[in-house]
Amino acid sequence: MAGVLAGCGGSGDSGDVTLKLVAADYGDSAANSSKKYWDRLSKAFEDENPGIKVDVTVLSWNDVDREVKEMVKKGDAPDLAQIGAYADYAAQGKLYEADELLSIATQADFMAPLSQAGEVKRIQYGMPFASSTRLLFYNTKLFKDANLTPPQSWSQLQSAAKALKARGVKIPYALPLGPEEAPAETLMWMLSGGGGYTDNVGSYDIDSKQNAKTFSWLRDELVGKGLTGPKAPGRMNRAEAFAAFSRGEVGMLNGHPTLMKMASKKGVKFGMVPAPGINGKPRATMGVADWMMAFKQNGHRKEAGKFLDFVYSKKNVLEFSNEYDILPVTTSAFDAMAKDRGHTELGKFLKELPTSQLYPVGKTSWAQVSADIKNNIGKTVTRNGNPSMVLGQIQSKAAAAENAE
């Protein structure tokens, strides 16, 4: 693999430039691998831009971040990488700024929450490539049998969970705070309680009063009342929760668009609503994004910028989003998808995107803080758990890591 990816530069004496791109695979089989998308896009770009070739390597999500990290470490950075995180490379001075690459029109077209999440110290290095939001999924058959309507507040969610438990539902509400994706479930609940990972100026605020109140409520009113199933939330992972929902064993859980396909394949009928807040719909839901970045090493700023302007055209963003049931990252593609698919199931996720809040991915400390959350957040909701203390410990480490940036 290293031999394939290494060595970027011009091709012989022709004066041509070959851009090396490493991208993540969004497909779940060879039949719908992202490689097919990139091959089509690269050929169309090369036809319009003689003198610039694009060499694309597509790797699974299990490997792509690690492979790019190894390439950079060896001094063989690709020109472009479409992976999960950018902040470490930006902090090391290895990336071009977005405004060094993109036309003004392209940069201005990014959805505001996603563009801001791509900034380090107010300069954008990470270009959002794919995005998603979360909704509350509920099993419509279980709800109908219990004569329930979708919850809009925490108290309604608890009442629904109690009714489902009384009818023998194995997991009334799935609360995956296990290490796989605990930061996501954590942020969704923090936002629904009026808190979040950061304060208004972007500093970590993990142990805020709102967050402590949120996890105290979860401990006492959901987990403590036996409404989250037989397995401790700190040991339940998202994949396990999704699989249980797809078997019809879960009444409610927070999910992303992938769960629609999983549940439909298994014949589980479901509905989706915005995640309930403490007293109604929260002001923001959680959003996530994957990132595109351009490395300085090979000096192909102009060529990389030209290719990225092509990548982020409305047509190409829409094609990728529609292919993989993910949300577009540009306003032009968002408007087009909203017009075309606003009344579909994916349209429900789309509506949440403009007010979504993302992880603080612009902080180089976030990877360390995220790992700490994965390891410890489940302790807040155990029988003798102390949310204020656990959140305080996570905050203390986060603040120290942030100060070291």
Side-chain angles (χ1 to χ4, degrees):
M1 183 59 65
V4 174
L5 298 175
C8 312
S11 50
D13 300 323
S14 65
D16 288 357
V17 164
T18 298
L19 294 173
K20 301 284 186 177
L21 164 66
V22 180
D25 196 349
Y26 287 77
D28 55 14
S29 68
N32 71 342
S33 168
S34 300
K35 187 171 189 332
K36 293 186 175 182
Y37 169 83
W38 285 113
D39 286 347
R40 285 196 308 271
L41 187 142
S42 298
K43 184 179 186 311
F45 174 78
E46 289 170 357
D47 288 347
E48 288 184 20
N49 295 272
I52 306 176
K53 301 291 183 185
V54 184
D55 182 1
V56 183
T57 301
V58 174
L59 301 172
S60 82
W61 274 111
N62 294 330
D63 303 322
V64 68
D65 287 275
R66 184 183 69 252
E67 288 284 350
V68 170
K69 187 175 183 180
E70 282 299 310
M71 293 167 67
V72 173
K73 191 175 176 181
K74 291 175 183 174
D76 290 326
D79 295 286
L80 297 157
Q82 186 272 297
I83 52 178
Y86 66 86
D88 279 352
Y89 301 124
Q92 294 164 23
K94 295 184 182 295
L95 300 181
Y96 287 115
E97 298 173 16
D99 63 7
E100 293 179 297
L101 298 157
L102 304 173
S103 69
I104 293 171
T106 298
Q107 193 173 3
D109 198 24
F110 288 129
M111 299 285 292
L114 306 177
S115 182
Q116 289 161 10
E119 295 177 355
V120 174
K121 294 181 170 42
R122 300 186 184 279
I123 296 172
Q124 185 179 1
Y125 296 92
M127 292 159 279
F129 181 75
S131 67
S132 177
T133 56
R134 305 295 166 97
L135 293 170
L136 181 77
F137 283 67
Y138 63 96
N139 182 309
T140 51
K141 183 182 186 303
L142 296 178
F143 265 61
K144 186 178 180 182
D145 291 347
N147 198 29
L148 295 170
T149 56
Q152 297 180 343
S153 66
W154 288 2
S155 60
Q156 290 177 9
L157 185 145
Q158 185 203 47
S159 295
K162 284 180 177 178
L164 292 168
K165 183 184 180 185
R167 295 184 64 83
V169 175
K170 185 176 179 182
I171 306 173
Y173 179 85
L175 183 67
L177 294 177
E180 181 195 356
E181 207 193 25
E185 188 75 13
T186 297
L187 181 54
M188 283 182 273
W189 278 100
M190 284 179 170
L191 291 171
S192 74
Y197 283 134
T198 56
D199 59 20
N200 291 334
V201 294
S203 298
Y204 286 117
D205 196 23
I206 294 165
D207 62 347
S208 68
K209 287 181 180 178
Q210 297 101 311
N211 291 341
K213 185 178 178 182
T214 293
F215 282 89
S216 295
W217 186 87
L218 285 171
R219 178 196 62 194
D220 298 338
E221 304 301 331
L222 275 191
V223 183
K225 290 189 164 40
L227 302 176
T228 55
K231 191 167 188 176
R235 292 192 294 112
M236 175 175 273
N237 283 324
R238 184 203 65 184
E240 186 180 352
F242 278 20
F245 185 84
S246 300
R247 292 193 300 267
E249 298 172 359
V250 175
M252 300 172 279
L253 82 171
N254 288 319
H256 54 61
T258 304
L259 184 55
M260 295 192 298
K261 285 186 177 178
M262 288 180 63
S264 296
K265 277 183 182 177
K266 298 285 180 133
V268 171
K269 298 283 194 290
F270 59 88
M272 302 179 301
V273 292
I278 187 168
N279 292 311
K281 189 177 187 296
R283 58 186 170 79
T285 188
M286 190 194 82
V288 293
D290 302 322
W291 302 96
M292 178 74 79
M293 62 214 71
F295 288 89
K296 292 178 178 178
Q297 181 180 319
N298 303 304
H300 296 152
R301 179 185 65 81
K302 183 180 174 185
E303 294 85 359
K306 187 173 281 193
F307 179 63
L308 289 171
D309 278 337
F310 186 79
V311 167
Y312 284 108
S313 69
K314 181 172 74 172
K315 173 182 175 291
N316 289 328
V317 172
L318 269 176
E319 183 182 339
F320 191 86
S321 300
N322 284 322
E323 174 75 21
Y324 296 105
D325 269 348
I326 56 176
L327 304 185
V329 296
T330 61
T331 302
S332 59
F334 173 91
D335 289 344
M337 183 180 275
K339 186 176 179 182
D340 182 44
R341 304 183 71 178
H343 301 295
T344 66
E345 296 295 86
L346 192 65
K348 295 178 181 178
F349 290 93
L350 204 60
K351 287 175 186 171
E352 302 300 308
L353 189 58
T355 57
S356 62
Q357 283 193 23
L358 284 75
Y359 296 145
V361 289
K363 297 177 181 293
T364 55
S365 57
W366 171 242
Q368 182 180 333
V369 174
S370 177
D372 200 18
I373 291 165
K374 290 178 180 181
N375 291 330
N376 294 296
I377 199 68
K379 298 172 186 175
T380 60
V381 297
T382 57
R383 179 173 296 181
N384 298 312
N386 185 330
S388 294
M389 186 179 78
V390 175
L391 293 172
Q393 291 169 345
I394 296 172
Q395 169 67 24
S396 180
K397 289 182 182 178
E402 185 174 33
N403 290 335
E405 288 185 11

